[in-house]
Amino acid sequence: MNFLQQLRNNTQKAITRWMHIDLTKRSERNGYYLIVEIFFATFLTAAASFNAAYAIRLGAGDEHISFMTSIPALIAVLISIPAGQILQKTSRKKSLLVRALALHRAGFIVILFAPLLDNLNVNRGAVVTWVLILFMLPAQFFNIGFTSMTATVIRPEQRGAVFSLRNQIFFAVSSVMSFLFGLWLDAVIFPLNYQIMYAASFLVSMIGLFYLNRLEITERAKKEKAKKKNPIPVKQQVKNLFVDFRNNPQFMRFNINTFLMDFGLWAVVPIFTVYYVNELGAGESWLGLLATFGSLTNIFGFDLWRKIVNRLGRKKVLLITSLIRPVYPVVVALFPNLTVIIILNAVLGLVMPGLGLSHYSMMLDATPNDRRDQFTAYYTMFQNISVFLAPLVGAVVLQWVGYRTTFIIFGVVRLLGGLMWRILPVKELKPDMS
């Protein structure tokens, strides 16, 4: 134990020295915990990128893969306002979020047993789908609280560095593990290959919870507890939503634009994996390569766009990148080749960090400090309406016109959504407003 403690301490010193982090300062300490946490969490995220393929191998149909995106979004819509109310009032936010994340990750242990249902008259792929959907409920609760919590524990001037490094680590680990997982899944017999991958990734991800639990938010928790406000009924919360949107026109425009920009994205995201596997004959190793190259270029993309955002501003970067993203589904439709798709995904990986950095920063700035949980819940609910409806619409269109025409149609929808940032312009907010 002493050896392990010494090793951990030495590793911590090396990492903090490399990242120029002073652990005597609380905000920098919290940034360190968030950065280390994402390293361990990414193992399970990389494994989860094969969820659709796992479900398909066990018999899931096109509609099940669409449900994996749309139903969790519906859950998020239904729980966003109640969750925001709970998180706004609670004095135990960190504890609630850690337990919610742990419960979500436990779902990956449950789906290990789906192949054992072979003797029962059930669609095992459908079972996997619905189990993953069920365990997305605590994940949605976590997502609402985590966004506002990170804005609280990290000083505004440090957010860019912390979130950029988190994303770089995420994509670095994801690129390596997606590649290795793809090779593993092709080399080992099914379903043992998936069972071992999920189990090992779950165990590694639980280490990340240790660091997440070390985040220091005591002062805010005491402040929230001291207010002792009476709970606001959910019906009143819904009314407040419309009032808050009307009183905050920039926040309203931001949400409308995001909704329309992402609708074309979510309509085809579930269809891509089915298309790659069933129509183009992609295997797990190819899916791993796709994720790997996309993640690798994302790493460089964050360094590139962080400088461009500082020079051009978030608004210009958002306008530019939102019009580039529609290229992907159109090219996939016109060039149904696995090699072309990997190259295209890698190129897009260089561009999309600009959209993520500019969009996320503007979202944080648009939410008031004293009601950040509430406004984050509004944002989550509103955008998940798009995530819920879009895959269902995409599935219907797919049945009518087939894969390639569907991709072209929603590529055009994405383009129109990107143009909304010009039709309903949103003012660029100052970095210190959050």
Side-chain angles (χ1 to χ4, degrees):
M1 182 62 68
N2 289 335
F3 170 76
L4 293 176
Q5 184 69 28
Q6 181 79 24
L7 178 63
R8 187 172 73 85
N9 290 339
N10 290 339
T11 303
Q12 178 176 286
K13 289 179 181 178
I15 294 174
T16 53
R17 188 162 49 246
W18 171 63
M19 294 189 300
H20 305 288
I21 290 178
D22 183 359
L23 291 182
T24 63
K25 299 178 179 179
R26 194 177 82 163
S27 182
E28 294 193 27
R29 203 159 50 238
N30 283 330
Y32 168 77
Y33 295 146
L34 288 172
I35 290 167
V36 176
E37 180 270 335
I38 198 64
F39 172 83
F40 295 105
T42 305
F43 282 79
L44 191 59
T45 304
S49 66
F50 295 92
N51 284 349
Y54 181 55
I56 291 171
R57 303 292 185 206
L58 289 174
D62 294 0
E63 70 280 5
H64 296 119
I65 305 305
S66 293
F67 288 160
M68 289 174 68
T69 300
S70 61
I71 302 301
L74 176 61
I75 293 172
V77 170
L78 297 176
I79 72 168
S80 290
I81 290 181
Q85 180 179 345
I86 292 171
L87 291 167
Q88 192 72 39
K89 309 300 179 183
T90 187
S91 60
R92 301 180 298 113
K93 175 183 287 189
K94 182 177 69 175
S95 176
L96 284 175
L97 295 182
V98 170
R99 282 184 286 174
L101 185 58
L103 182 59
H104 160 65
R105 291 176 178 174
F108 290 88
I109 297 300
V110 176
I111 63 173
L112 296 182
F113 300 100
L116 303 181
L117 303 177
D118 191 28
N119 295 326
L120 300 179
N121 188 25
V122 297
N123 184 326
R124 295 175 296 166
V127 170
V128 169
T129 298
W130 290 109
V131 167
L132 290 172
I133 288 172
L134 175 65
F135 280 88
M136 278 302 296
L137 196 155
Q140 297 293 353
F141 185 89
F142 171 82
N143 291 337
I144 293 170
F146 184 73
T147 300
S148 61
M149 185 175 70
T150 54
T152 302
V153 300
I154 304 297
R155 293 177 61 84
E157 65 271 16
Q158 296 172 333
R159 288 178 194 159
V162 171
F163 294 142
S164 292
L165 189 51
R166 265 178 64 90
N167 281 313
Q168 287 178 304
I169 291 174
F170 170 83
F171 287 113
V173 177
S174 180
S175 64
V176 174
M177 295 314 302
S178 295
F179 175 71
L180 294 178
F181 283 156
L183 294 179
W184 167 264
L185 293 175
D186 270 351
V188 180
I189 190 172
F190 180 86
L192 183 63
N193 52 357
Y194 276 93
Q195 292 171 318
I196 294 176
M197 177 186 71
Y198 283 136
S201 300
F202 168 79
L203 292 176
V204 173
S205 73
M206 298 307 285
I207 300 175
L209 290 182
F210 167 77
Y211 287 95
L212 196 62
N213 197 48
R214 296 189 70 180
L215 289 173
E216 300 173 42
I217 59 173
T218 307
E219 290 183 10
R220 177 176 179 178
K222 289 180 179 179
K223 180 181 178 181
E224 295 294 331
K225 186 175 180 180
K227 289 182 179 179
K228 293 183 179 179
K229 291 182 179 179
N230 294 325
I232 302 174
V234 174
K235 184 177 180 180
Q236 183 62 44
Q237 286 278 359
V238 175
K239 293 180 180 179
N240 290 345
L241 181 150
F242 292 101
V243 173
D244 288 333
F245 266 60
R246 187 175 64 247
N247 293 337
N248 295 271
Q250 292 300 312
F251 182 75
M252 180 176 66
R253 285 188 170 203
F254 177 82
N255 277 272
I256 292 173
N257 291 351
T258 301
F259 179 97
L260 297 172
M261 178 182 71
D262 286 345
F263 191 90
L265 167 70
W266 294 115
V268 292
V269 162
I271 302 174
F272 279 136
T273 301
V274 180
Y275 178 67
Y276 299 151
V277 174
N278 290 344
E279 297 295 317
L280 301 185
E284 276 81 355
S285 59
W286 182 90
L287 293 173
L289 281 175
L290 181 71
T292 296
F293 280 103
S295 297
L296 282 174
T297 53
N298 262 277
I299 298 171
F300 299 106
F302 275 103
D303 261 342
L304 172 68
W305 285 101
R306 184 171 56 181
K307 298 173 183 176
I308 296 176
V309 168
N310 289 336
R311 185 165 64 250
L312 299 181
R314 289 175 299 230
K315 182 177 180 178
K316 287 185 179 179
V317 170
L318 183 58
L319 292 174
I320 294 169
T321 54
S322 63
L323 295 178
I324 295 176
R325 190 170 63 171
V327 171
Y328 187 87
V330 175
V331 174
V332 170
L334 298 178
F335 301 95
N337 179 279
L338 294 178
T339 302
V340 171
I341 292 172
I342 283 183
I343 295 173
L344 174 64
N345 190 57
V347 173
L348 203 67
L350 283 173
V351 177
M352 287 306 96
L355 180 62
L357 285 173
S358 57
H359 186 268
Y360 184 72
S361 295
M362 290 176 69
M363 190 275 287
L364 281 182
D365 292 340
T367 56
N369 282 330
D370 58 341
R371 299 186 61 202
R372 196 177 295 277
D373 286 307
Q374 197 71 57
F375 273 70
T376 302
Y378 291 161
Y379 170 80
T380 301
M381 184 191 72
F382 196 66
Q383 301 313 320
N384 273 287
I385 294 174
S386 174
V387 182
F388 166 65
L389 293 177
L392 301 181
V393 174
V396 172
V397 174
L398 175 63
Q399 294 299 316
W400 288 346
V401 300
Y403 286 103
R404 298 174 70 177
T405 305
T406 298
F407 294 151
I408 292 174
I409 288 173
F410 287 106
V412 174
V413 172
R414 285 196 200 188
L415 178 62
L416 295 175
L419 290 172
M420 288 304 301
W421 295 103
R422 288 165 171 78
I423 298 171
L424 290 178
V426 178
K427 293 180 181 178
E428 183 169 355
L429 304 174
K430 295 180 181 179
D432 61 354
M433 286 183 65
S434 55

